Amino acid sequence: MMRLTSLGSRDTRPEEAPDGHDAARELGRWGRALAIGGVGALGTFALSAGALAAGARLLARVPLTPQMSQRGKLDQVVRAAYPDRVHLDRTAESVRGGVIALRRSGGAVHVRLGPVDGEPTPTTVSRPILARDTDEPIGIGPVGLDGFFWPGTPETSLGLPTREVEVSSPVGPMPAWLVPGRSGAPEEDRADAGADAGAGAAGPTGDTWAVLTHGHGATRGETLRAMSLLHELGLTCLALTYRNDLGSPASADRMHHLGLDEWEDTEAGIEYALAHGAHRIVLMGWSMGGGITLRTSVRTAHPEAIAGLVLDSPAVDWQDILTYHATALRAPAPMRRLALWMMTSPLGARLVRLHEPLALAEMRAEHYAQHLRHRTLLVHALEDTTVPPAPSARLAALRPDLVRFVPFAGASHTREWNRDPAQYERLLAEHLVDLLDLDVDVEAMHLPVRDPAAAPLEGSIGARV
């Protein structure tokens, strides 16, 4: 495990901080952007004051700048394509166990792949095609990995009745998906929900909701992997967008505040749920959405309505995350300290175009441990090189009475479901059945609820929404 030393420094093992040219490949979105920006190269030269300030500003701005995942990075290469399988360049992600999807041209091409089933050459791996969500052939050449796995909307990918609604947040109306649980749509929505919404499943009758918050640079599509199970258990799902998302209002400075302010949008989701029949709410978040969920839980005006939290690879400690990436890219310690100062001081905030400094001290495991009030299932991928798992483990160690920490071996960032869909859904189902006292026999459930190899539905699309 990693351990913090002092502000802006970290004792990081070699396997936790990829060296030089590997940083862009092994780190997450921020690491790649920083590597492209040349932060690591600056560390090899004597720094002038100007270079130090420029590098620190880049370090500070990258995680604050909204990234629209619809653009899609082409981070894999298909070397051969057959009707039943594809051959991919051997990379850390292409060899990882579990299921994954490939996409190209904004989702005009989208195929779901099973686990590695062969090594046709020393530099390639073979993965079977489970299903094609679009008609256009995959072909050879660069493609993007889609960790969300299911494309489109809950209706086009999972067959769940879905309404587009707007949640009124302090910065404006936020688009959201509203998906009723099997046994209980909100009263005014039942006529639109379809026969499936009321067909034969035990569970709440529309008064238990799951409010779902996606991560940094992601979309509502990140929530789809959990939605089939939540629907099956009878929970009404409200999958949120938040400020600076594509199609949502921007914040005043058009910058991410890492959850410091975005929690107000999840709070608005809670208030929407309560106004539409919810009596108890489960908050679930992925990555930065997990940090937003944590902050919401300790600041909400409705703590009594929250039954519990589910956090997937959450951003528990932003100072830890930022320092990890800067250290991995060999940014000098003075540059790391200056970047943190820019993010947390009134004068520094203006230099990176923030309208207010970030209270990073309020987004740490110790702060959340002091204020946490709700039972929490915290799942974190052990091979996460975007949001390292040490702060999650620390939060659980500080609050063992409330937090159940489940480290997930063999998974990368927020891809625990992908690594083993049945195991992930069983873990989530057992937690929710116990938390909510549901009359459901988890052992008798067929998991995963939706087979990763299920045929695409009529109207299936490959786009991220």
Side-chain angles (χ1 to χ4, degrees):
M1 288 293 192
M2 298 160 283
R3 54 189 175 86
L4 283 173
T5 50
S6 60
L7 180 66
S9 65
R10 174 196 275 284
D11 179 12
T12 308
R13 296 181 180 181
E15 65 269 25
E16 293 167 338
D19 288 335
H21 66 277
D22 289 333
R25 183 177 70 250
E26 294 297 328
L27 293 177
R29 292 182 291 270
W30 310 316
R32 285 195 292 269
L34 291 170
I36 292 169
V39 173
L42 289 175
T44 64
F45 300 98
L47 290 174
S48 67
L52 180 69
R57 187 172 184 272
L58 178 63
L59 279 175
R61 278 184 57 84
V62 165
L64 305 179
T65 303
Q67 301 172 33
M68 302 307 179
S69 67
Q70 287 87 342
R71 297 173 185 173
K73 292 182 174 66
L74 302 181
D75 47 11
Q76 299 290 310
V77 177
V78 175
R79 294 299 179 184
Y82 301 92
D84 62 340
R85 69 190 189 282
V86 296
H87 296 174
L88 301 171
D89 276 353
R90 177 184 290 274
T91 66
E93 288 302 319
S94 69
V95 303
R96 199 177 298 283
V99 297
I100 197 70
L102 300 180
R103 64 195 303 270
R104 182 189 285 134
S105 303
V109 178
H110 196 280
V111 297
R112 290 176 259 141
L113 305 181
V116 172
D117 62 359
E119 299 180 4
T121 75
T123 60
T124 62
V125 296
S126 171
R127 299 186 79 126
I129 295 176
L130 302 179
R132 301 174 186 270
D133 294 301
T134 55
D135 294 330
E136 188 174 331
I138 183 68
I140 61 172
V143 294
L145 282 180
D146 185 2
F148 298 177
F149 194 74
W150 303 111
T153 71
E155 189 154 13
T156 63
S157 64
L158 308 176
L160 302 180
T162 306
R163 285 186 57 204
E164 281 278 353
V165 299
E166 286 188 346
V167 172
S168 297
S169 88
V171 300
M174 301 291 177
W177 288 326
L178 178 61
V179 179
R182 276 179 60 91
S183 59
E187 194 68 41
E188 65 272 29
D189 301 331
R190 288 179 187 167
D192 299 326
D196 181 64
T205 56
D207 66 345
T208 302
W209 288 41
V211 174
L212 313 176
T213 306
H214 69 75
H216 187 287
T219 68
R220 289 175 287 177
E222 189 164 37
T223 71
L224 291 172
R225 288 166 293 175
M227 204 172 284
S228 289
L229 175 68
L230 297 172
H231 172 83
E232 186 73 12
L233 293 176
L235 278 70
T236 292
C237 293
L238 185 67
L240 303 172
T241 57
Y242 48 83
R243 59 196 68 185
N244 299 308
D245 276 355
L246 188 66
S248 295
S251 60
D253 54 17
R254 300 182 179 275
M255 302 284 275
H256 284 319
H257 290 193
L258 308 182
L260 184 73
D261 296 328
E262 289 86 352
W263 77 271
E264 296 174 339
D265 304 332
T266 297
E267 175 80 342
I270 292 172
E271 292 174 349
Y272 180 96
L274 293 174
H276 290 79
H279 293 159
R280 55 182 181 172
I281 295 169
V282 174
L283 300 181
M284 185 170 184
W286 290 256
S287 190
M288 187 172 93
I292 293 171
T293 294
L294 264 175
R295 187 163 175 82
T296 304
S297 75
V298 302
R299 293 183 66 89
T300 181
H302 311 283
E304 72 291 341
I306 298 175
L309 315 181
V310 177
L311 308 177
D312 188 319
S313 294
V316 172
D317 187 328
W318 272 103
Q319 179 177 306
D320 183 272
I321 296 166
L322 299 167
T323 301
Y324 167 81
H325 284 283
T327 303
L329 289 159
R330 299 181 178 177
M335 185 183 293
R336 301 197 301 266
R337 289 193 291 269
L338 183 56
L340 287 173
W341 174 81
M342 288 179 176
M343 299 173 80
T344 57
S345 70
L347 176 60
R350 290 199 291 273
L351 297 176
V352 292
R353 295 180 58 188
L354 284 170
H355 281 196
E356 60 181 351
L358 302 182
L360 295 185
E362 294 182 11
M363 294 184 283
R364 302 193 65 191
E366 291 75 12
H367 180 83
Y368 289 127
Q370 182 179 357
H371 298 282
L372 191 64
R373 292 170 282 184
H374 304 100
R375 283 182 57 189
T376 301
L377 173 64
L378 199 167
V379 182
H380 209 124
L382 286 180
E383 296 180 24
D384 193 335
T385 56
T386 299
V387 177
S392 289
R394 188 161 70 247
L395 175 60
L398 291 169
R399 291 304 304 268
D401 56 321
L402 288 179
V403 180
R404 180 189 176 192
F405 175 58
V406 181
F408 219 94
S412 57
H413 183 57
T414 68
R415 291 183 181 167
E416 300 90 348
W417 181 93
N418 303 67
R419 182 64 178 84
D420 191 332
Q423 180 186 354
Y424 184 91
E425 291 191 17
R426 181 168 293 105
L427 175 68
L428 181 54
E430 289 172 348
H431 173 74
L432 293 175
V433 166
D434 180 59
L435 176 71
L436 303 172
D437 193 26
L438 304 181
D439 184 18
V440 175
D441 181 359
V442 176
E443 292 301 317
M445 295 182 72
H446 178 73
L447 300 174
V449 173
R450 180 155 171 78
D451 186 346
L457 301 168
E458 184 176 354
S460 173
I461 59 175
R464 286 182 173 180
V465 180

